[in-house]
Amino acid sequence: MRPSGFWRRYAAYSLDLVVPVLVSVPLLWQTGQRMLDRTWLHMAEAELRMFDLMTASDASGGHALAGMFEWSADPALRGVLLAMVAAWLEAIGIAALVIAALAALWFITFEASPWQATPGKRLAGLRVVAVDGSRPGLGRIALRFFAGAPSWLLLHLGHAMAAIRRDGRALHDLLAGTCVVLAPGATTRIPRWARFWLLVQALAVAAVLATVASQYLLLAVAAWDAGLP
């Protein structure tokens, strides 16, 4: 058996995950809309409260932002921010349950099939086998999927094991007694589509980080300008 490389596995997994996420969109549309509505409401309330705090600081003869580091102790502002966080956590929890259920159906069904692979893994030339090379049963495949929970809770340290171990097994593979190997006839070189897919994701992450950083910079500049006497 030839174990798969980490990035090949990740390319296949991330491609497979697109399907459950897309299917979840209409199911979670109302949840997302409710979260956005509550977020905009709480943000408006937070802005009004911060404006009141700035006005009070300016009226006392100090800089409008002089007490900014003490705003976290303000009960009204804290209540608004906690309400906004609660709205996010509720929406994230619902989304996680829905996507996890759809992902379980997708991954378990395909990996327990004669393919022994999801469409992404099959496209990448991979398949899931038991440690002795045999075809794993439905129970073992289901255990493999749900054994991934500790890796998520450990900030993907369990998944990263696949990049460290010589046999390419992640934590959920060790717990379920499985491994991901190259399918018969698959080349050891990662497919071109997988390299392109990884590049697209890297560029998307870089774009998101740059956008978030620029927005924070603009907010900081605007807040400073607004506090000038």
Side-chain angles (χ1 to χ4, degrees):
M1 296 187 299
R2 298 174 297 165
S4 166
F6 174 80
W7 291 111
R8 191 169 187 158
R9 284 184 62 170
Y10 173 77
Y13 172 78
S14 57
L15 182 63
D16 278 316
L17 199 59
V18 170
V19 176
V21 170
L22 289 179
V23 174
S24 72
V25 170
L27 301 177
L28 295 170
W29 189 265
Q30 290 186 348
T31 299
Q33 188 62 54
R34 185 167 59 252
M35 182 200 71
L36 288 176
D37 291 342
R38 292 170 65 181
T39 296
W40 288 120
L41 174 62
H42 294 318
M43 286 183 64
E45 293 174 342
E47 289 177 357
L48 288 174
R49 183 54 186 166
M50 285 189 289
F51 180 77
D52 290 340
L53 293 172
M54 291 170 63
T55 301
S57 179
D58 185 63
S60 64
H63 192 281
L65 297 177
M68 181 176 61
F69 296 106
E70 300 175 0
W71 291 357
S72 59
D74 181 70
L77 183 58
R78 177 181 292 184
V80 171
L81 295 178
L82 288 177
M84 184 164 59
V85 171
W88 291 347
L89 292 177
E90 177 186 343
I92 291 172
I94 295 174
L97 289 175
V98 171
I99 295 175
L102 293 172
L105 181 63
W106 178 268
F107 284 91
I108 295 174
T109 299
F110 281 109
E111 291 180 357
S113 72
W115 281 4
Q116 296 176 232
T118 57
K121 284 187 176 69
R122 186 173 172 85
L123 189 61
L126 305 175
R127 68 176 181 176
V128 180
V129 299
V131 289
D132 60 0
S134 62
R135 175 183 170 184
L138 177 61
R140 187 181 296 274
I141 291 297
L143 174 60
R144 181 178 186 273
F145 178 84
F146 292 107
S151 294
W152 285 90
L153 295 176
L154 293 172
L155 302 178
H156 297 292
L157 291 178
H159 294 136
M161 290 174 61
I164 301 172
R165 293 177 58 92
R166 178 170 295 184
D167 59 7
R169 299 175 72 191
L171 178 59
H172 56 281
D173 288 313
L174 296 173
L175 294 175
T178 60
C179 53
V180 179
V181 299
L182 298 182
T187 61
T188 56
R189 182 176 175 80
I190 186 171
R192 181 176 298 178
W193 71 264
R195 296 197 300 270
F196 176 76
W197 176 235
L198 292 172
L199 176 61
V200 168
Q201 293 183 68
L203 292 175
V205 170
V208 170
L209 292 177
T211 301
V212 171
S214 64
Q215 291 300 313
Y216 272 110
L217 180 60
L218 290 174
L219 286 174
V221 172
W224 180 260
D225 289 340
L228 290 177

